[in-house]
Amino acid sequence: MTLNQRERWGLIALAMLLVVALGTILLQALREPETVYQDKPISAWVRSAVIRDDGTANWYLHEARRTADPVSKARIDKEIVHSAMKFLNTKDNPLWKPYTFVRTNLPPSVARVMPTWQEPASVRSGAVWMLFFGGPGLSSDPAPPGLCERATPVLCNLARNDPDKVLRKMATLTLSQVGTFSPEAFQIMVRALNSTDFEEVEAGARWFARYPLEPGRVVPLLIPD
């Protein structure tokens, strides 16, 4: 690819990003105002916790939920679920590489004003690990209501279809940890019991201890040869 072609792709990526950014700003303007904690929206704390693995952000989310009155806590939990599901559903995007190329090759003074676009796979990975440890906040906190139920079909899809082998395994382990019952989750956990990977076998055993279904099919898989 020649320099001119790269520049053209970079400009296309930038133009499309601006369109998306304007659309996002419009949607945010139409949404109910977000709950703010320590002068920062809850969604920003979730983003820091998920994408940057920020322990301070996790602590602030824990404190925000702990100190809120029931009405405010319900709003905080709703925003946490919305943000967490958005990150978990992040799709690969062919524009990510050209945009990142343009941003990293611009003068620093210009690059600083352009938003950072995190690699989609790393965003999904961060969201999966967040769920593995129980959701935003401290691991001892209960997950916000509805988060595990909404996450289960997405985790099933990632466990089956994500292009990254490591992320497929992470989704399987997380499904075992927090996933609710579904026929698709059942099939994935049977597959985990048939795996040669000890962690996946252990994950399958943990899930079936929680949902003791079809023992005639499952128990033989738990008995070593």
Side-chain angles (χ1 to χ4, degrees), residues 68-146:
D69 61 71
V71 173
S72 297
K73 186 175 184 297
R75 285 189 61 188
I76 290 170
D77 283 349
K78 181 179 178 181
E79 290 165 5
I80 287 175
V81 171
H82 173 80
S83 297
M85 291 305 301
K86 181 176 71 173
F87 299 141
L88 194 63
N89 279 296
T90 300
K91 306 296 183 187
D92 290 326
N93 192 317
L95 294 176
W96 175 75
K97 284 187 177 179
Y99 174 80
T100 303
F101 173 84
V102 170
R103 185 178 183 277
T104 54
N105 284 276
L106 286 172
S109 58
V110 178
R112 276 196 297 269
V113 301
M114 297 176 66
T116 301
W117 188 354
Q118 297 290 340
E119 182 183 10
S122 69
V123 175
R124 290 197 301 274
S125 176
V128 169
W129 274 120
M130 174 202 69
L131 287 169
F132 182 84
F133 290 109
L138 300 182
S139 59
S140 58
D141 293 347

